[in-house]
Short mmCIF file of all heavy atoms in Angstrom, two decimals:
data_model
loop_
_atom_site.label_atom_id
_atom_site.label_comp_id
_atom_site.label_asym_id
_atom_site.label_seq_id
_atom_site.Cartn_x
_atom_site.Cartn_y
_atom_site.Cartn_z
N TYR A 1 0.82 -1.20 0.00
CA TYR A 1 0.00 0.00 0.00
C TYR A 1 0.86 1.26 0.00
O TYR A 1 0.54 2.25 -0.66
CB TYR A 1 -0.93 -0.01 1.22
CG TYR A 1 -1.85 1.18 1.28
CD1 TYR A 1 -2.87 1.34 0.34
CD2 TYR A 1 -1.71 2.14 2.27
CE1 TYR A 1 -3.72 2.43 0.39
CE2 TYR A 1 -2.55 3.24 2.33
CZ TYR A 1 -3.56 3.38 1.39
OH TYR A 1 -4.39 4.47 1.44
N ALA A 2 1.98 1.21 0.74
CA ALA A 2 2.86 2.37 0.83
C ALA A 2 3.44 2.73 -0.54
O ALA A 2 3.57 3.92 -0.87
CB ALA A 2 3.99 2.10 1.82
N ILE A 3 3.79 1.72 -1.35
CA ILE A 3 4.37 1.99 -2.67
C ILE A 3 3.40 2.82 -3.51
O ILE A 3 3.80 3.72 -4.25
CB ILE A 3 4.70 0.66 -3.39
CG1 ILE A 3 5.78 -0.11 -2.62
CG2 ILE A 3 5.13 0.93 -4.82
CD1 ILE A 3 7.11 0.59 -2.56
N HIS A 4 2.10 2.54 -3.38
CA HIS A 4 1.10 3.24 -4.20
C HIS A 4 0.67 4.56 -3.57
O HIS A 4 0.61 5.59 -4.25
CB HIS A 4 -0.11 2.33 -4.41
CG HIS A 4 0.21 1.07 -5.16
ND1 HIS A 4 0.48 1.06 -6.51
CD2 HIS A 4 0.32 -0.21 -4.74
CE1 HIS A 4 0.74 -0.18 -6.90
NE2 HIS A 4 0.64 -0.97 -5.85
N CYS A 5 0.38 4.57 -2.28
CA CYS A 5 -0.17 5.78 -1.67
C CYS A 5 0.89 6.86 -1.47
O CYS A 5 0.56 8.05 -1.35
CB CYS A 5 -0.87 5.47 -0.35
SG CYS A 5 0.22 5.26 1.05
N MET A 6 2.18 6.47 -1.43
CA MET A 6 3.24 7.45 -1.24
C MET A 6 3.89 7.85 -2.56
O MET A 6 4.92 8.54 -2.57
CB MET A 6 4.32 6.87 -0.30
CG MET A 6 3.81 6.37 1.04
SD MET A 6 3.16 7.68 2.08
CE MET A 6 4.66 8.54 2.51
N ARG A 7 3.30 7.46 -3.67
CA ARG A 7 3.92 7.66 -4.97
C ARG A 7 4.19 9.13 -5.27
O ARG A 7 5.20 9.48 -5.89
CB ARG A 7 3.04 7.05 -6.05
CG ARG A 7 3.62 7.11 -7.46
CD ARG A 7 2.73 6.36 -8.42
NE ARG A 7 2.65 4.95 -8.08
CZ ARG A 7 1.80 4.10 -8.65
NH1 ARG A 7 0.94 4.52 -9.56
NH2 ARG A 7 1.79 2.83 -8.28
N ARG A 8 3.30 10.01 -4.84
CA ARG A 8 3.45 11.43 -5.15
C ARG A 8 4.06 12.23 -4.01
O ARG A 8 4.13 13.45 -4.06
CB ARG A 8 2.07 12.02 -5.51
CG ARG A 8 1.46 11.38 -6.77
CD ARG A 8 0.12 12.00 -7.10
NE ARG A 8 -0.47 11.37 -8.29
CZ ARG A 8 -1.66 11.69 -8.79
NH1 ARG A 8 -2.38 12.65 -8.20
NH2 ARG A 8 -2.13 11.07 -9.86
N GLU A 9 4.51 11.55 -2.98
CA GLU A 9 5.15 12.22 -1.85
C GLU A 9 6.55 12.68 -2.24
O GLU A 9 7.29 11.96 -2.92
CB GLU A 9 5.24 11.27 -0.65
CG GLU A 9 3.91 10.96 0.01
CD GLU A 9 3.52 12.04 1.01
OE1 GLU A 9 4.38 12.85 1.38
OE2 GLU A 9 2.34 12.04 1.42
N SER A 10 6.91 13.87 -1.77
CA SER A 10 8.23 14.41 -2.11
C SER A 10 9.36 13.69 -1.37
O SER A 10 10.50 13.68 -1.84
CB SER A 10 8.28 15.91 -1.80
OG SER A 10 7.96 16.15 -0.44
N HIS A 11 9.08 13.11 -0.21
CA HIS A 11 10.11 12.44 0.58
C HIS A 11 9.81 10.94 0.70
O HIS A 11 10.02 10.34 1.76
CB HIS A 11 10.20 13.06 1.97
CG HIS A 11 10.54 14.52 1.96
ND1 HIS A 11 11.74 14.99 1.51
CD2 HIS A 11 9.81 15.61 2.34
CE1 HIS A 11 11.78 16.31 1.62
NE2 HIS A 11 10.62 16.71 2.11
N ARG A 12 9.37 10.35 -0.38
CA ARG A 12 8.95 8.95 -0.30
C ARG A 12 10.15 8.01 -0.11
O ARG A 12 10.01 6.95 0.50
CB ARG A 12 8.15 8.55 -1.54
CG ARG A 12 8.90 8.65 -2.86
CD ARG A 12 7.96 8.36 -4.02
NE ARG A 12 8.69 8.31 -5.29
CZ ARG A 12 8.51 7.35 -6.19
NH1 ARG A 12 7.65 6.37 -5.96
NH2 ARG A 12 9.18 7.35 -7.32
N VAL A 13 11.33 8.38 -0.63
CA VAL A 13 12.51 7.53 -0.42
C VAL A 13 12.87 7.50 1.06
O VAL A 13 13.16 6.44 1.62
CB VAL A 13 13.70 8.04 -1.26
CG1 VAL A 13 14.97 7.29 -0.88
CG2 VAL A 13 13.41 7.88 -2.74
N ARG A 14 12.85 8.65 1.70
CA ARG A 14 13.13 8.72 3.14
C ARG A 14 12.13 7.87 3.91
O ARG A 14 12.51 7.14 4.84
CB ARG A 14 13.06 10.16 3.61
CG ARG A 14 13.40 10.36 5.08
CD ARG A 14 13.22 11.82 5.48
NE ARG A 14 11.81 12.21 5.42
CZ ARG A 14 11.38 13.46 5.50
NH1 ARG A 14 12.25 14.45 5.61
NH2 ARG A 14 10.09 13.73 5.47
N PHE A 15 10.86 7.94 3.53
CA PHE A 15 9.84 7.13 4.19
C PHE A 15 10.15 5.65 4.04
O PHE A 15 10.08 4.89 5.02
CB PHE A 15 8.46 7.44 3.59
CG PHE A 15 7.37 6.53 4.10
CD1 PHE A 15 6.69 6.84 5.26
CD2 PHE A 15 7.05 5.35 3.43
CE1 PHE A 15 5.69 5.99 5.74
CE2 PHE A 15 6.06 4.50 3.91
CZ PHE A 15 5.37 4.83 5.06
N GLU A 16 10.50 5.21 2.84
CA GLU A 16 10.76 3.79 2.61
C GLU A 16 11.96 3.30 3.42
O GLU A 16 11.96 2.18 3.92
CB GLU A 16 11.00 3.54 1.11
CG GLU A 16 9.74 3.47 0.29
CD GLU A 16 8.83 2.31 0.68
OE1 GLU A 16 9.35 1.24 1.06
OE2 GLU A 16 7.61 2.47 0.60
N ILE A 17 12.98 4.13 3.53
CA ILE A 17 14.16 3.72 4.31
C ILE A 17 13.79 3.49 5.77
O ILE A 17 14.14 2.45 6.35
CB ILE A 17 15.27 4.78 4.18
CG1 ILE A 17 15.83 4.78 2.76
CG2 ILE A 17 16.38 4.53 5.20
CD1 ILE A 17 16.84 5.87 2.49
N PHE A 18 13.06 4.43 6.37
CA PHE A 18 12.65 4.25 7.76
C PHE A 18 11.67 3.09 7.91
O PHE A 18 11.72 2.35 8.90
CB PHE A 18 12.02 5.54 8.30
CG PHE A 18 13.00 6.62 8.63
CD1 PHE A 18 12.91 7.88 8.05
CD2 PHE A 18 14.04 6.38 9.53
CE1 PHE A 18 13.82 8.87 8.36
CE2 PHE A 18 14.96 7.37 9.84
CZ PHE A 18 14.85 8.62 9.25
N PHE A 19 10.81 2.91 6.93
CA PHE A 19 9.85 1.81 6.94
C PHE A 19 10.57 0.47 6.94
O PHE A 19 10.26 -0.43 7.73
CB PHE A 19 8.93 1.94 5.71
CG PHE A 19 7.76 1.00 5.70
CD1 PHE A 19 6.56 1.35 6.32
CD2 PHE A 19 7.83 -0.22 5.05
CE1 PHE A 19 5.46 0.49 6.29
CE2 PHE A 19 6.74 -1.09 5.02
CZ PHE A 19 5.56 -0.73 5.64
N LEU A 20 11.56 0.33 6.08
CA LEU A 20 12.30 -0.93 5.96
C LEU A 20 13.18 -1.20 7.18
O LEU A 20 13.30 -2.34 7.62
CB LEU A 20 13.14 -0.92 4.69
CG LEU A 20 12.35 -1.00 3.38
CD1 LEU A 20 13.23 -0.60 2.20
CD2 LEU A 20 11.77 -2.39 3.17
N LEU A 21 13.80 -0.16 7.72
CA LEU A 21 14.61 -0.34 8.92
C LEU A 21 13.74 -0.76 10.11
O LEU A 21 14.15 -1.62 10.91
CB LEU A 21 15.35 0.96 9.25
CG LEU A 21 16.47 1.37 8.29
CD1 LEU A 21 17.05 2.72 8.70
CD2 LEU A 21 17.57 0.31 8.24
N SER A 22 12.56 -0.17 10.22
CA SER A 22 11.64 -0.57 11.29
C SER A 22 11.21 -2.02 11.13
O SER A 22 11.12 -2.78 12.10
CB SER A 22 10.40 0.34 11.29
OG SER A 22 10.75 1.69 11.48
N MET A 23 10.96 -2.43 9.89
CA MET A 23 10.59 -3.81 9.60
C MET A 23 11.70 -4.77 10.01
O MET A 23 11.45 -5.80 10.65
CB MET A 23 10.29 -3.97 8.11
CG MET A 23 9.83 -5.35 7.70
SD MET A 23 9.82 -5.62 5.90
CE MET A 23 8.81 -4.28 5.32
N ALA A 24 12.93 -4.44 9.64
CA ALA A 24 14.06 -5.31 9.98
C ALA A 24 14.21 -5.47 11.49
O ALA A 24 14.43 -6.57 11.99
CB ALA A 24 15.35 -4.74 9.37
N GLY A 25 14.09 -4.36 12.22
CA GLY A 25 14.18 -4.43 13.68
C GLY A 25 13.07 -5.26 14.28
O GLY A 25 13.29 -6.04 15.22
N ASN A 26 11.86 -5.12 13.74
CA ASN A 26 10.71 -5.88 14.23
C ASN A 26 10.93 -7.38 14.06
O ASN A 26 10.72 -8.18 14.98
CB ASN A 26 9.46 -5.43 13.49
CG ASN A 26 8.17 -5.85 14.17
OD1 ASN A 26 7.08 -5.61 13.68
ND2 ASN A 26 8.26 -6.47 15.34
N PHE A 27 11.39 -7.79 12.87
CA PHE A 27 11.63 -9.21 12.62
C PHE A 27 12.80 -9.73 13.46
O PHE A 27 12.77 -10.87 13.94
CB PHE A 27 11.92 -9.43 11.13
CG PHE A 27 10.72 -9.22 10.24
CD1 PHE A 27 10.89 -8.99 8.88
CD2 PHE A 27 9.44 -9.25 10.75
CE1 PHE A 27 9.80 -8.79 8.05
CE2 PHE A 27 8.34 -9.06 9.93
CZ PHE A 27 8.52 -8.83 8.58
N MET A 28 13.83 -8.89 13.65
CA MET A 28 14.99 -9.33 14.42
C MET A 28 14.61 -9.62 15.86
O MET A 28 15.03 -10.64 16.43
CB MET A 28 16.08 -8.26 14.37
CG MET A 28 17.38 -8.68 15.04
SD MET A 28 18.59 -7.33 15.19
CE MET A 28 18.83 -6.91 13.46
N LEU A 29 13.82 -8.76 16.49
CA LEU A 29 13.48 -8.98 17.90
C LEU A 29 12.54 -10.18 18.07
O LEU A 29 12.58 -10.87 19.09
CB LEU A 29 12.88 -7.72 18.51
CG LEU A 29 11.49 -7.26 18.11
CD1 LEU A 29 10.39 -7.88 18.97
CD2 LEU A 29 11.38 -5.74 18.18
N ILE A 30 11.71 -10.44 17.07
CA ILE A 30 10.81 -11.59 17.14
C ILE A 30 11.60 -12.90 17.11
O ILE A 30 11.29 -13.85 17.84
CB ILE A 30 9.78 -11.55 16.00
CG1 ILE A 30 8.78 -10.41 16.22
CG2 ILE A 30 9.03 -12.88 15.88
CD1 ILE A 30 7.84 -10.18 15.05
N LEU A 31 12.62 -12.95 16.28
CA LEU A 31 13.40 -14.18 16.10
C LEU A 31 14.60 -14.28 17.03
O LEU A 31 15.29 -15.30 17.05
CB LEU A 31 13.90 -14.27 14.64
CG LEU A 31 12.80 -14.40 13.58
CD1 LEU A 31 13.41 -14.26 12.18
CD2 LEU A 31 12.07 -15.73 13.71
N ALA A 32 14.87 -13.22 17.81
CA ALA A 32 16.06 -13.17 18.65
C ALA A 32 16.11 -14.33 19.64
O ALA A 32 15.12 -14.66 20.28
CB ALA A 32 16.13 -11.84 19.39
N HIS A 33 17.32 -14.90 19.76
CA HIS A 33 17.52 -16.01 20.70
C HIS A 33 18.26 -15.56 21.96
O HIS A 33 18.20 -16.23 22.99
CB HIS A 33 18.32 -17.12 20.01
CG HIS A 33 18.51 -18.35 20.83
ND1 HIS A 33 17.46 -19.10 21.33
CD2 HIS A 33 19.65 -18.99 21.25
CE1 HIS A 33 17.92 -20.13 22.01
NE2 HIS A 33 19.24 -20.09 21.99
N ASP A 34 18.96 -14.43 21.86
CA ASP A 34 19.71 -13.94 23.01
C ASP A 34 19.37 -12.46 23.27
O ASP A 34 18.75 -11.79 22.45
CB ASP A 34 21.21 -14.12 22.82
CG ASP A 34 21.74 -13.36 21.61
OD1 ASP A 34 20.94 -12.79 20.86
OD2 ASP A 34 22.97 -13.31 21.42
N ILE A 35 19.78 -11.97 24.42
CA ILE A 35 19.45 -10.60 24.83
C ILE A 35 20.05 -9.55 23.90
O ILE A 35 19.33 -8.62 23.50
CB ILE A 35 19.88 -10.36 26.29
CG1 ILE A 35 18.99 -11.18 27.24
CG2 ILE A 35 19.79 -8.89 26.66
CD1 ILE A 35 19.38 -11.06 28.70
N PRO A 36 21.34 -9.62 23.53
CA PRO A 36 21.89 -8.57 22.65
C PRO A 36 21.16 -8.47 21.31
O PRO A 36 20.92 -7.36 20.82
CB PRO A 36 23.35 -9.01 22.45
CG PRO A 36 23.67 -9.80 23.67
CD PRO A 36 22.41 -10.53 23.99
N THR A 37 20.79 -9.60 20.72
CA THR A 37 20.08 -9.57 19.44
C THR A 37 18.69 -8.97 19.62
O THR A 37 18.24 -8.15 18.80
CB THR A 37 19.96 -10.98 18.85
OG1 THR A 37 21.26 -11.56 18.74
CG2 THR A 37 19.31 -10.95 17.47
N PHE A 38 18.00 -9.36 20.69
CA PHE A 38 16.67 -8.80 20.95
C PHE A 38 16.76 -7.29 21.15
O PHE A 38 15.98 -6.54 20.56
CB PHE A 38 16.07 -9.45 22.20
CG PHE A 38 14.67 -8.99 22.51
CD1 PHE A 38 13.56 -9.71 22.06
CD2 PHE A 38 14.44 -7.82 23.24
CE1 PHE A 38 12.27 -9.28 22.34
CE2 PHE A 38 13.16 -7.38 23.51
CZ PHE A 38 12.06 -8.11 23.07
N TYR A 39 17.70 -6.86 21.96
CA TYR A 39 17.82 -5.43 22.25
C TYR A 39 18.19 -4.64 20.99
O TYR A 39 17.68 -3.53 20.77
CB TYR A 39 18.87 -5.19 23.34
CG TYR A 39 18.95 -3.76 23.79
CD1 TYR A 39 18.01 -3.24 24.68
CD2 TYR A 39 19.94 -2.91 23.31
CE1 TYR A 39 18.07 -1.91 25.09
CE2 TYR A 39 20.02 -1.59 23.72
CZ TYR A 39 19.08 -1.10 24.61
OH TYR A 39 19.14 0.22 25.00
N SER A 40 19.06 -5.19 20.15
CA SER A 40 19.45 -4.52 18.91
C SER A 40 18.23 -4.33 18.00
O SER A 40 18.03 -3.25 17.44
CB SER A 40 20.53 -5.32 18.18
OG SER A 40 21.70 -5.44 18.97
N GLY A 41 17.43 -5.39 17.85
CA GLY A 41 16.24 -5.28 17.02
C GLY A 41 15.22 -4.31 17.60
O GLY A 41 14.62 -3.52 16.88
N PHE A 42 15.05 -4.35 18.91
CA PHE A 42 14.09 -3.47 19.57
C PHE A 42 14.50 -2.01 19.42
O PHE A 42 13.67 -1.13 19.13
CB PHE A 42 13.99 -3.84 21.06
CG PHE A 42 12.76 -3.33 21.74
CD1 PHE A 42 11.60 -4.09 21.77
CD2 PHE A 42 12.75 -2.09 22.36
CE1 PHE A 42 10.46 -3.64 22.39
CE2 PHE A 42 11.61 -1.62 23.00
CZ PHE A 42 10.45 -2.40 23.01
N ALA A 43 15.80 -1.72 19.58
CA ALA A 43 16.29 -0.35 19.45
C ALA A 43 16.19 0.14 18.01
O ALA A 43 15.79 1.29 17.75
CB ALA A 43 17.74 -0.26 19.94
N LEU A 44 16.55 -0.71 17.06
CA LEU A 44 16.45 -0.34 15.65
C LEU A 44 15.02 0.00 15.27
O LEU A 44 14.75 1.02 14.63
CB LEU A 44 16.99 -1.47 14.77
CG LEU A 44 16.85 -1.28 13.26
CD1 LEU A 44 17.61 -0.04 12.79
CD2 LEU A 44 17.34 -2.52 12.51
N MET A 45 14.08 -0.85 15.68
CA MET A 45 12.68 -0.61 15.38
C MET A 45 12.19 0.67 16.04
O MET A 45 11.51 1.50 15.42
CB MET A 45 11.83 -1.79 15.85
CG MET A 45 10.35 -1.66 15.56
SD MET A 45 9.36 -2.92 16.42
CE MET A 45 9.49 -2.34 18.12
N GLY A 46 12.54 0.86 17.31
CA GLY A 46 12.03 2.00 18.06
C GLY A 46 12.50 3.33 17.51
O GLY A 46 11.70 4.27 17.34
#
């Protein structure tokens, strides 16, 4: 949905970068097996 609704946004690249980084952090903390990995994902997402 973001690809289509943000098409005419002037800062859509910036949005996508933050969107993807938040996604990576979210997935990392879900799959984390140890505390440092969980905290890294949680901080990246936040």
Side-chain angles (χ1 to χ4, degrees):
Y1 182 68
I3 296 296
H4 298 287
C5 80
M6 306 294 289
R7 184 174 298 170
R8 297 181 181 179
E9 289 276 346
S10 56
H11 300 295
R12 62 186 186 134
V13 172
R14 183 184 67 191
F15 173 87
E16 281 296 326
I17 291 175
F18 284 124
F19 189 87
L20 290 165
L21 291 176
S22 301
M23 183 192 305
N26 197 183
F27 291 160
M28 185 188 300
L29 71 89
I30 290 172
L31 296 171
H33 184 59
D34 61 353
I35 291 177
T37 305
F38 183 95
Y39 186 79
S40 299
F42 198 89
L44 175 61
M45 181 191 72

